[in-house]
């Protein structure tokens, strides 16, 4: 892994400060200050979107700590720029950096609707709820132009296929015309991710996501439209945003949420370096303390991949967070996320479009 520059610049509207090579790169670069180089380019890193033709769009998992079996991600990379995002290391598979590349070099699966239609039409397909947004946010800013998430929802609505959605962007309100009718048939459950009520902190943690109060308004909009909506308090970062747990759950209930889920921060692979850099930039006074608490919640390591503990952590501090969430949910009368059972019995396989047309 390359060594970071002695001083890293904060890029306005971006989460990562550096662009380290991915873990699969065979070439490594190291910057050296020879006294001649001076940073003069003050331009902000621009967002680039490349089109991708996907061979398949439904991914499957058998992880015991994940609340769904099937998932759909219209985009690779995420413009929200959340520094804690566990999906950042996936950009390494594309020979791109999990740092700035992850939030500026994005891929749109432009044939998503056609490929999804073909997969749902297979004779051996078994209908199970599909989660939209398990890796990257389906309503990140580029969705305004590409509308791939909306195209997927329209198809799922057409064939009565249930789905769950996880997002931290109020853009989801745009698709209430599809979500509300699906909700009447028990085909959809929405989860809005809110991990802090502090706008200043959120602007650093999640620079291009909707502000916390705007997301809470989206919770109310979903509820008012009859769409079941839960709140994911995720991820919780000790000594940084976990102080808001009770207030988030209380406000979520007041705005019509029906369930709560939470996870603790995870730092797999390259994310360890990126998160440390971010802490040193924005919270140098408590950076060492935050890392120490994270390690205490992961058996002394930055990250523990054990299925039994990776989402919630372990140890005293993790137990305190778990009890705080349980007490707050009990007071608010909210159940656990993923407890909602959606209807798979109405599914009708879609017809695959043929250039020769149809006789019947």
């Amino acid at each position: 892994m390359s060594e970071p520059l002695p001083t890293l610049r904060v890029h306005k509207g971006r989460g990562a400060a550096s662009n380290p090579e991915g873990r699969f790169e065979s070439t490594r670069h190291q910057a050296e200050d020879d006294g001649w180089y001076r940073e003069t380019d003050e331009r902000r890193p621009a967002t680039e979107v490349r089109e991708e033709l996907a061979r398949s769009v439904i991914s499957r998992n058998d992880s015991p700590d994940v609340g769904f079996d099937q998932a759909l991600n219209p985009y690779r990379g995420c413009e929200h720029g959340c520094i804690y995002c566990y999906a950042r290391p996936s950009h390494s598979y594309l020979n791109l950096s999990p740092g700035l590349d992850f939030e500026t070099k994005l891929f749109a699966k432009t044939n998503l609707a056609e490929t999804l239609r073909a997969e749902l039409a297979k004779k051996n397909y078994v209908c199970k709820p599909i989660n939209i947004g398990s890796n990257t946010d389906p309503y990140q800013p580029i969705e305004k132009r590409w509308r791939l998430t909306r195209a997927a929802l329209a198809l799922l609505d057409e064939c009565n296929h249930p789905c769950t959605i996880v997002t931290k962007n109020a853009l989801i309100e745009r698709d209430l015309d599809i979500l509300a009718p699906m909700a009447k048939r028990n085909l959809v459950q929405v989860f809005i991710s809110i991990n802090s009520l502090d706008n200043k902190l959120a602007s650093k943690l999640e620079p291009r996501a909707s502000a916390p109060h705007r997301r809470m308004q989206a919770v109310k909009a979903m509820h008012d439209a009859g769409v079941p909506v839960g709140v994911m308090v995720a991820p919780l970062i000790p000594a940084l945003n976990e102080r808001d747990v009770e207030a988030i759950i209380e406000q979520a209930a007041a705005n019509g949420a029906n369930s709560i889920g939470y996870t603790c921060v995870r730092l797999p692979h390259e994310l360890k370096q990126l998160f440390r850099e971010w802490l040193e930039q924005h919270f140098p006074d408590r950076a060492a303390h935050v890392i120490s608490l994270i390690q205490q919640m992961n058996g002394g390591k930055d990250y523990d991949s054990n299925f039994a503990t990776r989402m919630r952590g372990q140890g005293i501090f993790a137990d305190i967070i778990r009890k705080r969430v349980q007490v707050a949910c009990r007071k608010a009368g909210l159940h656990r996320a993923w407890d909602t059972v959606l209807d798979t019995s109405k599914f009708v396989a879609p017809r695959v479009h043929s250039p020769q047309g149809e006789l019947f």
Side-chain angles (χ1 to χ4, degrees):
M1 188 64 64
S2 61
E3 294 293 329
L5 290 170
T7 55
L8 296 170
R9 188 180 61 176
V10 176
H11 301 278
K12 186 174 181 180
R14 299 298 180 185
S18 67
N19 215 32
E21 293 92 346
R23 61 192 181 281
F24 301 117
E25 292 292 329
S26 58
T27 303
R28 295 290 182 267
H29 301 87
Q30 181 168 325
E32 295 288 347
D33 185 357
D34 59 4
W36 288 86
Y37 175 79
R38 295 291 183 272
E39 180 110 39
T40 58
D41 189 354
E42 295 298 325
R43 291 177 297 177
R44 300 175 187 173
T47 299
E48 303 173 20
V49 183
R50 308 176 193 180
E51 296 186 30
E52 174 184 342
L53 296 180
R55 289 180 293 181
S56 64
V57 293
I58 299 178
S59 61
R60 294 173 174 83
N61 79 87
D62 56 2
S63 302
D65 58 348
V66 177
F68 50 86
D69 299 318
Q70 301 190 129
L72 177 71
N73 291 283
Y75 305 101
R76 295 184 193 266
C78 187
E79 197 177 7
H80 282 159
C82 306
I83 191 58
Y84 53 72
C85 183
Y86 59 80
R88 281 183 177 272
S90 65
H91 240 45
S92 295
Y93 294 105
L94 306 174
N95 288 330
L96 293 171
S97 172
L100 284 170
D101 281 353
F102 177 78
E103 50 196 283
T104 60
K105 291 178 168 49
L106 313 178
F107 295 81
K109 301 175 184 177
T110 51
N111 65 336
L112 180 139
E114 296 84 350
T115 305
L116 178 61
R117 178 178 290 275
E119 292 187 60
L120 297 181
K122 291 180 178 178
K123 292 182 179 180
N124 61 347
Y125 178 76
V126 177
C127 179
K128 294 181 180 180
I130 293 177
N131 178 259
I132 305 176
S134 61
N135 201 47
T136 58
D137 201 305
Y139 286 101
Q140 59 179 287
I142 61 173
E143 166 66 13
K144 292 180 182 178
R145 174 193 171 190
W146 293 91
R147 301 170 70 88
L148 300 180
T149 300
R150 182 174 176 85
L153 283 176
L155 175 56
L156 296 176
D157 179 37
E158 172 191 326
C159 58
N160 292 318
H161 195 297
C163 69
T164 56
I165 303 171
V166 181
T167 183
K168 59 188 63 175
N169 201 308
L171 178 60
I172 191 174
E173 294 173 352
R174 178 201 65 187
D175 293 337
L176 277 172
D177 60 321
I178 300 176
L179 296 173
M182 290 183 72
K184 290 180 179 179
R185 287 169 281 155
N186 191 28
L187 294 177
V188 67
Q189 166 79 44
V190 170
F191 296 101
I192 307 293
S193 176
I194 307 174
N195 62 36
S196 173
L197 296 177
D198 183 339
N199 281 1
K200 290 184 178 179
L201 174 59
S203 69
K204 298 174 182 177
L205 268 177
E206 311 157 328
R208 296 202 177 191
S210 298
H213 70 277
R214 186 65 187 87
R215 281 178 251 174
M216 201 64 79
Q217 291 172 1
V219 172
K220 187 175 188 304
M222 293 295 116
H223 171 72
D224 291 349
V227 179
V229 57
V231 167
M232 299 296 293
V233 191
L236 291 173
I237 306 171
L240 203 61
N241 69 351
E242 43 81 23
R243 66 175 183 264
D244 288 343
V245 167
E246 290 83 1
I248 293 172
I249 294 174
E250 181 181 354
Q251 288 194 29
N255 282 280
N258 64 3
S259 61
I260 292 290
Y262 86 96
T263 64
C264 293
V265 67
R266 295 186 281 155
L267 302 177
H269 305 300
E270 297 92 342
L271 200 51
K272 302 178 183 67
Q273 173 189 338
L274 293 167
F275 189 71
R276 277 184 165 85
E277 290 175 354
W278 181 88
L279 280 174
E280 290 294 342
Q281 282 185 313
H282 297 285
F283 298 97
D285 59 325
R286 71 179 94 166
H289 181 54
V290 172
I291 292 297
S292 174
L293 289 173
I294 291 175
Q295 290 175 339
Q296 290 177 44
M297 296 170 64
N298 286 276
K301 300 179 290 185
D302 287 343
Y303 175 60
D304 181 6
S305 60
N306 189 318
F307 284 133
T309 58
R310 65 173 184 165
M311 295 290 193
R312 304 294 173 84
Q314 55 187 297
I316 296 175
F317 202 86
D319 287 342
I320 291 174
I321 290 178
R322 176 176 51 80
K323 291 176 181 177
R324 288 173 60 190
V325 172
Q326 289 176 344
V327 170
C329 286
R330 189 161 56 247
K331 288 182 178 179
L334 300 179
H335 61 76
R336 297 183 308 168
W338 309 113
D339 279 355
T340 300
V341 178
L342 300 177
D343 189 356
T344 59
S345 65
K346 298 184 177 73
F347 173 68
V348 177
R351 292 190 177 187
V352 178
H353 295 307
S354 170
Q356 295 182 336
E358 298 176 351
L359 293 177
F360 304 101

